[in-house]
Amino acid sequence: MHIGLIGLGKMGFNMRERLRRAGIEVTGYDRNPEVSDAASVDELVAALPAPRIVWVMVPSGAVTDAVVADLAEKLDEGDLVIDGGNSRFTEDQRHAEQLAQKGIRFVDCGVSGGVWGLENGYGLMAGGDAADVERALPVFDALRPEGERADSFVHVGGTGAGHYAKMVHNGIEYGLMQSYAEGYQLLAAKDIITDLPGTFRAWQKGTVVRSWLLDLLVKALEEDPGLDNIDDYVEDSGEGRWTVEEAIANAVPAPAITAALFARFESREDSSPAMKMVSALRHQFGGHATRPAK
Amino acid sequence: MHIGLIGLGKMGFNMRERLRRAGIEVTGYDRNPEVSDAASVDELVAALPAPRIVWVMVPSGAVTDAVVADLAEKLDEGDLVIDGGNSRFTEDQRHAEQLAQKGIRFVDCGVSGGVWGLENGYGLMAGGDAADVERALPVFDALRPEGERADSFVHVGGTGAGHYAKMVHNGIEYGLMQSYAEGYQLLAAKDIITDLPGTFRAWQKGTVVRSWLLDLLVKALEEDPGLDNIDDYVEDSGEGRWTVEEAIANAVPAPAITAALFARFESREDSSPAMKMVSALRHQFGGHATRPAK
Amino acid sequence: MHIGLIGLGKMGFNMRERLRRAGIEVTGYDRNPEVSDAASVDELVAALPAPRIVWVMVPSGAVTDAVVADLAEKLDEGDLVIDGGNSRFTEDQRHAEQLAQKGIRFVDCGVSGGVWGLENGYGLMAGGDAADVERALPVFDALRPEGERADSFVHVGGTGAGHYAKMVHNGIEYGLMQSYAEGYQLLAAKDIITDLPGTFRAWQKGTVVRSWLLDLLVKALEEDPGLDNIDDYVEDSGEGRWTVEEAIANAVPAPAITAALFARFESREDSSPAMKMVSALRHQFGGHATRPAK
Amino acid sequence: MHIGLIGLGKMGFNMRERLRRAGIEVTGYDRNPEVSDAASVDELVAALPAPRIVWVMVPSGAVTDAVVADLAEKLDEGDLVIDGGNSRFTEDQRHAEQLAQKGIRFVDCGVSGGVWGLENGYGLMAGGDAADVERALPVFDALRPEGERADSFVHVGGTGAGHYAKMVHNGIEYGLMQSYAEGYQLLAAKDIITDLPGTFRAWQKGTVVRSWLLDLLVKALEEDPGLDNIDDYVEDSGEGRWTVEEAIANAVPAPAITAALFARFESREDSSPAMKMVSALRHQFGGHATRPAK
């Protein structure tokens, strides 16, 4: 099998390598010529046997929109585009329709595994028509970890379902990380705990909270036991917000995931207008001293 | 009527004044001789007609414990001690029993109104035996706003009930302030809002959210429209914590009040260990850049 | 002044009455002929002196869309449409542009006060051009409570700003109600509280938590001291969701308001899938008994 | 090595078996004679070689108190008591002092692993003096999974530190379960997801959210794909509450863990007084219909 892969950043670069190791021929394209196989998307398209499979692995939003629009022009009927990026599920239907006008097929695929995917394989969640998903199975099989397919790959449902599942996956991920982080802070605050990194390490086998994230947490503490070199500023990349928006749209209470999202917002504030107001109110009614702004 | 008042700080000082304006004779004692009427608690006790009423208005915890212990020695059978401070309701039973050993009566009384109480009167919540509460009614009537007694005074229940009600009152207060503060931050973040102070001002009459706290918020914005001179560091003084602890003890979900409490904790952190950990985890699995600690 | 008013439901009906009491002539239209003054929107338009003012007070979303589209056809250049309903602020720009194509002016106006507005007056938040807001001032003055205009009316900003402010107002309202409700449940759970309605009543004057909502809470407990006749099922009508969505869009932490929204979602669940899963997990790892589904 | 084990319930029964498989001789005692080796604690004490090691694995609180008090009478100087139950860390110091009066040593040990511990081994967190912990290492090594000791055992700190770490472990567990459960509910609510159990199954390998709890979740869905036989009623057993109480005591924000705890409280309510109040308030100000109580 020979496929195209557009986007060779942190994720795409490793995926190309994993695909090749599994015997899939890959022509990659990236704006960065140092990592790119093809000089242009045209060249990439020309290099592929028809009907083509092109995996798109670029930032969601405007960049994915542009790449899909470009492929809608350059590909032919019967070709298949797989969006493996973190697109919002609401965009998949639009992309599918755009491509369908020329008879080009579309599958959305959530990909999880981060920088470890090259070594471990990626967890995959696909949305789209069964025939299209079937056709790309060799690609999915090459990317996912070895073992039973169903433990690392799922055809979740129709168009958008793959990205929906990935969105929820990331929402859960927010909640898991927040939970460990709250426990970390609590242990760190208590002086009777004299071996904090050792405590997390000892949870890796046997306990109820063992997980891959816990293994990474242990690794992080091995590298920097007090996290002294890391700022408490945490970005969010969209999926957490979309998960809460979907919770709202579907009237599903999601307090833990939302708490994780809000904690990130707070982490990025130099100063909280809300807390200034609470301080101002306490001063107004109780004469409590306010601190002058720094 | 002639009563004793121990503790002439921000609250007690104003209460003495309000009591005197209402015709109650007050002998006040404070460690600060500049505001004290009596040179000592002994002198205060000697000055009062028996059976005595002594109102205690000192910081909760150790100071209140010490004053109650002192009064347990110096007062006589039939005298009445009223704890109007912010004692935890769990301490009232202990104080009542300590005093009861000499036949001294005890009433706990939650007092709300802050620095505005002198002018507006205080909201009062009393706990204890009906006869003891009845006996102190002239004091309560002098302290509370004019108008129907039931609109500003309540005999909530037995010993501890007054402070319990005050604790919940303050827990609610945390939630109310947090709610306004979140709305404030949201309006402040939106550039289509060109008259932020005016918006809050216009809510004072007619709207569903009108309240005394809103009036104070308007006042705060009049004094400092951008809250530029106020730091976002917010103390908490116990009742919020106790409210959440009681919510836990009684299996009552209290997410809004708890959110308000946690927001204060966050406001006081120079750096969040939990958010450092989330940042570290994102780096571990996704290769997301961490910011070096400042 | 003579204006048109479309929508004579719970809010519009009372507003027509309040406007008339203030000397504003009102031609009202409603699909319900029993309350309508005009037989049709055409008749309403015909009855008004040009340049016309038409206040729209119908359900947000499709109904408001339809009414605005209808008015865009039937009104003339220079006429003014005021949307006083609970439209999402994002729709205002669209409505304004739709009307502007014929030179019809548009103002969005958040209206708060509920069924008490007839008697107390309404709090008003207007968005739009200054000249248009100015022109409608007699209408705003008639609707708002007596006293200083700035205490109950504000020109918040450009198109959409009025509804934005109203949205945040309602978000705050969610948080305030949730805070009182949590305190209510906590007091109700504690047996040392022997006068629960009396406690809330006594908070009405003098305390920090006094508010109009508290007055209504006292009224509710007077009518039904144990709330025995009221189910714990709470609707939400949009603004709370929009507020949290805006919090997310602007990276503003809003945990108390969000807690209030999620509590409503929970109140409407017959059974919680999430809690079934937690129960299933506890059973899996700990052998904890699950309850069979009812 | 030959030790005593008091308490042969769900946990203790399996632990005895695992210890024996590892070659540790165990004399077990339980009130249930069918599982007990010794007829009484006296008999158990008599059976053990001095200096003795007695592992206590009974319900925390009164039962543990009683067993420790009994052992304080029956054991001798130099004997060692290990409390492996879920005692609150605050009780450890008391137990240690009680036993120390006769020169009996004490170690607290958090044990995680649930019903799977027999097969997988248990994660262990010990608190106490180094010499005492050292002495019990063969027991810990028998109970924990094979592999490096530090991956499943830690000497956390002094007396109480083991139970403190276990408490935080369980608090984290609450947050993890809640996070998965929220994601589950969200996926279950969305009709584009046509293979819900398959989605979770596919997360088991390769994804960022893979964990032992996820494996159990997959198992639960295999047994009952819609969780149709499980009620949404979730108990809590103490550690979650203590974790939040410690968060409050140490001013550590713990919104996700607290959300998980409150969700359990809500799951057990037949009817929510707080939501009745919100419904009542909406009715009061907006004339919104309330549902009559069921």
Side-chain angles (χ1 to χ4, degrees):
Chain A
M1 186 169 259
H2 180 183
I3 71 164
L5 174 53
I6 298 180
L8 300 165
K10 262 184 309 198
M11 289 293 287
F13 188 88
N14 282 347
M15 290 166 73
R16 177 175 61 178
E17 176 63 18
R18 186 168 175 95
L19 287 164
R20 285 178 176 166
R21 289 185 190 170
I24 307 268
E25 195 173 346
V26 183
T27 299
Y29 171 75
D30 195 274
R31 285 178 306 182
N32 174 6
E34 289 185 30
V35 296
S36 195
D37 304 314
S40 65
V41 171
D42 288 286
E43 198 180 296
L44 175 142
V45 169
L48 298 177
R52 303 174 189 86
I53 296 181
V54 181
W55 188 291
V56 179
M57 206 67 199
V58 299
S60 64
V63 182
T64 297
D65 280 354
V67 169
V68 169
D70 194 34
L71 291 173
E73 282 192 21
K74 294 174 178 165
L75 293 181
D76 297 316
E77 185 171 349
D79 289 349
L80 170 63
V81 172
I82 302 173
D83 179 8
N86 275 324
S87 295
R88 191 168 184 162
F89 78 99
T90 45
E91 294 165 9
D92 293 319
Q93 196 58 46
R94 189 162 51 78
H95 291 153
E97 286 167 11
Q98 193 176 3
L99 294 161
Q101 286 174 5
K102 269 183 63 181
I104 306 165
R105 311 297 305 167
F106 178 79
V107 163
D108 55 284
C109 185
V111 177
S112 178
V115 293
W116 296 84
L118 171 57
E119 185 178 325
N120 296 343
Y122 302 89
L124 304 171
M125 302 139 247
D129 284 357
D132 299 321
V133 171
E134 181 82 16
R135 181 168 149 203
L137 270 184
V139 182
F140 298 138
D141 282 342
L143 288 171
R144 66 176 183 79
E146 293 182 21
E148 277 197 68
R149 181 185 289 150
D151 289 348
S152 55
F153 172 81
V154 61
H155 178 198
V156 186
T159 300
H163 279 139
Y164 198 90
K166 178 59 171 22
M167 176 197 77
V168 174
H169 165 281
N170 282 32
I172 292 171
E173 183 189 297
Y174 274 59
L176 302 182
M177 286 196 281
Q178 179 69 21
S179 301
Y180 285 117
E182 293 176 6
Y184 168 74
Q185 182 167 352
L186 196 45
L187 286 172
K190 195 77 181 181
D191 56 9
I192 65 169
I193 307 299
T194 57
D195 187 359
L196 176 54
T199 298
F200 283 99
R201 187 171 170 195
W203 288 351
Q204 287 183 282
K205 291 194 177 164
T207 75
V208 174
V209 303
R210 63 189 190 261
S211 71
W212 189 59
L213 277 167
L214 179 69
D215 295 341
L216 295 180
L217 188 159
V218 170
K219 205 160 161 299
L221 290 177
E222 275 168 8
E223 295 172 7
D224 184 356
L227 303 183
D228 297 321
N229 301 314
I230 291 174
D231 196 38
D232 66 341
Y233 181 103
V234 188
E235 298 278 4
D236 74 287
S237 53
E239 290 93 348
R241 298 182 184 213
W242 303 337
T243 303
V244 179
E245 286 169 2
E246 275 299 298
I248 293 170
N250 292 282
V252 168
I257 293 173
T258 306
L261 180 64
F262 286 164
R264 294 191 181 190
F265 291 170
E266 282 151 11
S267 82
R268 305 200 298 258
E269 291 183 336
D270 281 330
S271 170
S272 163
M275 287 303 105
K276 280 170 170 260
M277 179 51 84
V278 173
S279 183
L281 285 172
R282 292 183 82 239
H283 175 67
Q284 287 291 336
F285 71 72
H288 300 286
T290 57
R291 284 197 178 191
K294 280 182 282 253
Chain B
M1 183 170 262
H2 179 184
I3 71 163
L5 174 54
I6 298 179
L8 300 165
K10 261 185 309 199
M11 289 293 286
F13 187 89
N14 282 348
M15 289 167 74
R16 177 176 62 179
E17 176 64 18
R18 187 169 174 93
L19 286 165
R20 285 177 175 166
R21 288 184 191 171
I24 307 269
E25 195 173 344
V26 182
T27 299
Y29 171 75
D30 195 274
R31 285 178 307 183
N32 174 4
E34 289 184 29
V35 296
S36 195
D37 303 316
S40 65
V41 171
D42 288 286
E43 196 179 298
L44 175 143
V45 169
L48 298 178
R52 301 174 190 87
I53 295 181
V54 180
W55 188 291
V56 177
M57 206 68 200
V58 298
S60 64
V63 182
T64 296
D65 280 354
V67 168
V68 168
D70 194 34
L71 290 174
E73 283 191 20
K74 293 173 179 166
L75 293 182
D76 297 316
E77 186 171 347
D79 289 349
L80 170 63
V81 171
I82 302 173
D83 179 8
N86 274 326
S87 295
R88 192 169 185 163
F89 77 99
T90 45
E91 295 166 8
D92 292 321
Q93 195 59 45
R94 189 162 52 78
H95 291 153
E97 286 166 12
Q98 194 175 3
L99 294 162
Q101 287 173 5
K102 268 183 64 180
I104 306 166
R105 312 297 305 168
F106 179 78
V107 163
D108 55 283
C109 185
V111 178
S112 178
V115 294
W116 297 84
L118 170 58
E119 186 178 324
N120 296 344
Y122 302 89
L124 304 171
M125 301 139 247
D129 284 357
D132 298 321
V133 170
E134 180 83 16
R135 184 169 146 202
L137 271 184
V139 180
F140 298 138
D141 282 343
L143 288 172
R144 67 177 182 78
E146 293 183 22
E148 276 197 69
R149 181 185 288 151
D151 289 348
S152 54
F153 172 82
V154 61
H155 179 198
V156 186
T159 300
H163 278 139
Y164 197 90
K166 178 59 173 16
M167 176 197 78
V168 174
H169 165 283
N170 282 32
I172 292 172
E173 183 188 296
Y174 274 59
L176 303 182
M177 286 196 281
Q178 179 70 21
S179 301
Y180 285 116
E182 292 175 7
Y184 167 75
Q185 183 167 351
L186 196 45
L187 287 172
K190 196 77 182 179
D191 56 8
I192 64 170
I193 306 299
T194 56
D195 188 358
L196 176 54
T199 299
F200 283 99
R201 186 172 171 195
W203 288 351
Q204 287 183 282
K205 292 194 179 165
T207 74
V208 175
V209 303
R210 64 190 190 262
S211 71
W212 189 59
L213 278 167
L214 178 69
D215 295 341
L216 295 181
L217 188 159
V218 170
K219 205 161 160 300
L221 290 177
E222 275 168 8
E223 295 171 6
D224 183 357
L227 303 182
D228 298 320
N229 300 314
I230 291 175
D231 195 40
D232 66 342
Y233 181 102
V234 188
E235 299 277 5
D236 75 285
S237 52
E239 290 92 349
R241 299 182 183 211
W242 303 337
T243 303
V244 179
E245 286 170 1
E246 274 299 298
I248 293 171
N250 292 281
V252 168
I257 293 173
T258 306
L261 180 64
F262 286 164
R264 294 191 182 192
F265 291 169
E266 282 150 12
S267 82
R268 303 201 298 258
E269 292 183 337
D270 282 329
S271 171
S272 162
M275 288 303 105
K276 279 169 171 262
M277 179 50 84
V278 173
S279 184
L281 285 171
R282 292 183 82 239
H283 175 67
Q284 287 290 336
F285 71 72
H288 300 287
T290 56
R291 285 197 177 190
K294 280 180 285 249
Chain C
M1 184 169 260
H2 179 183
I3 72 164
L5 174 53
I6 298 180
L8 300 164
K10 259 184 312 198
M11 290 292 287
F13 188 88
N14 282 348
M15 289 166 73
R16 177 176 61 179
E17 177 63 18
R18 186 169 175 93
L19 287 165
R20 285 177 175 165
R21 288 185 191 170
I24 307 270
E25 195 173 344
V26 182
T27 299
Y29 170 75
D30 195 275
R31 286 177 308 182
N32 174 5
E34 290 184 31
V35 296
S36 196
D37 304 316
S40 65
V41 171
D42 288 288
E43 196 179 298
L44 174 142
V45 169
L48 299 178
R52 302 175 189 87
I53 295 181
V54 180
W55 187 291
V56 178
M57 205 69 199
V58 299
S60 65
V63 182
T64 297
D65 279 355
V67 169
V68 168
D70 194 34
L71 290 174
E73 283 193 21
K74 293 173 178 164
L75 292 181
D76 297 315
E77 185 172 348
D79 289 349
L80 170 63
V81 171
I82 303 173
D83 179 7
N86 275 326
S87 295
R88 191 168 185 162
F89 78 99
T90 45
E91 295 167 8
D92 292 319
Q93 195 58 46
R94 189 164 51 80
H95 291 153
E97 286 166 11
Q98 193 176 4
L99 293 161
Q101 287 173 5
K102 269 183 62 182
I104 306 166
R105 312 298 306 169
F106 178 78
V107 163
D108 55 284
C109 185
V111 178
S112 177
V115 294
W116 296 85
L118 171 56
E119 184 178 325
N120 296 344
Y122 302 88
L124 303 171
M125 302 140 247
D129 285 356
D132 298 321
V133 170
E134 180 85 14
R135 183 168 147 202
L137 271 184
V139 180
F140 298 137
D141 282 341
L143 288 172
R144 67 178 182 78
E146 293 184 20
E148 276 197 69
R149 180 185 289 152
D151 290 346
S152 54
F153 172 82
V154 61
H155 179 198
V156 186
T159 300
H163 278 140
Y164 197 90
K166 178 59 173 17
M167 176 196 78
V168 174
H169 165 282
N170 282 32
I172 292 171
E173 184 189 295
Y174 275 58
L176 303 182
M177 286 197 281
Q178 179 70 21
S179 301
Y180 286 118
E182 292 176 7
Y184 168 74
Q185 182 167 350
L186 196 45
L187 286 172
K190 195 77 182 179
D191 56 10
I192 65 170
I193 307 298
T194 56
D195 188 359
L196 177 55
T199 299
F200 283 98
R201 185 171 171 197
W203 288 351
Q204 288 183 281
K205 291 193 178 164
T207 75
V208 174
V209 302
R210 64 191 190 261
S211 71
W212 189 58
L213 278 167
L214 178 69
D215 295 341
L216 295 180
L217 189 160
V218 170
K219 206 162 160 298
L221 289 177
E222 275 167 8
E223 294 171 8
D224 183 357
L227 303 182
D228 297 321
N229 301 314
I230 291 175
D231 195 38
D232 66 341
Y233 181 103
V234 188
E235 299 278 5
D236 75 285
S237 52
E239 290 93 347
R241 298 182 184 214
W242 304 337
T243 304
V244 179
E245 287 169 0
E246 275 298 299
I248 293 170
N250 292 282
V252 169
I257 293 173
T258 306
L261 180 64
F262 286 164
R264 294 191 181 190
F265 291 169
E266 282 150 10
S267 82
R268 304 200 299 256
E269 292 182 339
D270 282 329
S271 171
S272 163
M275 288 303 105
K276 280 169 171 263
M277 179 51 84
V278 174
S279 184
L281 285 172
R282 290 183 83 237
H283 175 67
Q284 287 290 338
F285 72 72
H288 300 287
T290 56
R291 286 197 177 190
K294 280 180 283 249
Chain D
M1 185 171 260
H2 180 182
I3 71 163
L5 175 53
I6 298 179
L8 299 165
K10 262 185 308 199
M11 289 293 286
F13 187 89
N14 281 348
M15 289 166 73
R16 178 176 60 179
E17 177 62 18
R18 186 168 175 94
L19 287 165
R20 284 177 176 165
R21 288 184 191 172
I24 307 269
E25 194 173 344
V26 183
T27 298
Y29 170 75
D30 195 275
R31 284 178 309 182
N32 174 5
E34 290 185 29
V35 297
S36 195
D37 303 314
S40 65
V41 172
D42 288 287
E43 196 180 299
L44 175 141
V45 169
L48 298 179
R52 303 174 187 86
I53 296 181
V54 181
W55 188 290
V56 178
M57 206 66 200
V58 298
S60 65
V63 183
T64 296
D65 280 354
V67 169
V68 169
D70 194 33
L71 290 174
E73 282 192 20
K74 294 174 178 163
L75 292 181
D76 297 316
E77 186 172 348
D79 289 348
L80 170 63
V81 172
I82 302 173
D83 179 8
N86 275 325
S87 295
R88 191 168 185 163
F89 77 101
T90 45
E91 294 165 10
D92 292 319
Q93 195 58 46
R94 189 163 52 78
H95 291 154
E97 286 167 10
Q98 194 176 3
L99 293 162
Q101 286 174 5
K102 267 184 65 182
I104 306 165
R105 312 297 306 167
F106 178 78
V107 163
D108 55 284
C109 185
V111 178
S112 178
V115 294
W116 297 84
L118 170 57
E119 185 178 325
N120 296 344
Y122 302 88
L124 303 172
M125 301 140 247
D129 284 356
D132 298 321
V133 170
E134 181 83 14
R135 183 168 148 202
L137 270 184
V139 182
F140 298 138
D141 282 342
L143 288 171
R144 65 177 183 79
E146 293 183 20
E148 276 197 68
R149 181 185 288 151
D151 289 347
S152 54
F153 171 81
V154 60
H155 179 198
V156 186
T159 300
H163 278 140
Y164 198 91
K166 177 59 172 20
M167 175 196 79
V168 174
H169 165 283
N170 282 32
I172 291 171
E173 183 189 296
Y174 274 58
L176 303 182
M177 287 197 280
Q178 179 69 22
S179 301
Y180 285 117
E182 292 175 7
Y184 167 75
Q185 182 167 351
L186 195 46
L187 286 172
K190 195 79 183 177
D191 57 8
I192 65 170
I193 307 300
T194 56
D195 187 359
L196 177 54
T199 299
F200 283 99
R201 185 171 172 197
W203 288 350
Q204 287 183 282
K205 291 192 178 166
T207 74
V208 175
V209 303
R210 65 189 189 262
S211 71
W212 188 58
L213 277 167
L214 179 69
D215 295 340
L216 295 180
L217 188 159
V218 170
K219 206 161 161 298
L221 289 176
E222 275 168 8
E223 295 172 7
D224 184 356
L227 303 183
D228 297 320
N229 301 315
I230 291 175
D231 195 39
D232 66 341
Y233 181 103
V234 188
E235 298 277 4
D236 75 285
S237 53
E239 290 93 348
R241 298 183 183 212
W242 302 337
T243 304
V244 180
E245 286 169 1
E246 274 299 298
I248 293 170
N250 293 281
V252 169
I257 293 173
T258 306
L261 179 65
F262 286 164
R264 295 191 180 190
F265 291 169
E266 281 150 11
S267 82
R268 305 201 297 258
E269 292 183 337
D270 283 329
S271 170
S272 162
M275 288 303 105
K276 280 169 170 260
M277 179 51 84
V278 174
S279 184
L281 286 173
R282 291 183 84 238
H283 176 67
Q284 287 290 337
F285 72 71
H288 301 286
T290 57
R291 285 197 177 191
K294 280 182 282 253

